[in-house]
Amino acid sequence: MGCIVNEPGESKHADIGISLPDTGESPAALIFIRGKKTQTLRRDNIASDFLAIMQDFVKKLT
């Protein structure tokens, strides 16, 4: 997990990565799964939407 500048590169090494907006930036977070950008979460539901993505990812592993 990190900032929008460094996180996309770092996320390529993670099972799940999220690139969070900086202060003053529009509320949008890039989501990476196994190094590939899968979607962009926006607005007030970023945390709950990301939690659902993580839960779904773990469920698929079992």
Side-chain angles (χ1 to χ4, degrees):
M1 176 167 54
C3 70
I4 198 134
V5 174
N6 295 326
E7 185 58 24
E10 296 165 350
S11 292
K12 293 182 179 177
H13 303 290
D15 289 327
I16 299 177
I18 183 170
S19 181
L20 299 169
D22 196 5
T23 304
E25 293 181 336
S26 64
L30 305 176
I31 304 301
F32 297 85
I33 297 181
R34 295 193 169 127
K36 297 186 183 207
K37 181 183 169 204
T38 59
Q39 59 190 294
T40 302
L41 302 180
R42 301 186 187 280
R43 307 283 176 220
D44 298 331
N45 300 325
I46 291 174
S48 60
D49 291 348
F50 186 60
L51 179 59
I53 290 168
M54 289 189 304
Q55 290 170 334
D56 185 54
F57 181 84
V58 170
K59 189 187 306 183
K60 289 178 181 177
L61 292 176
T62 56

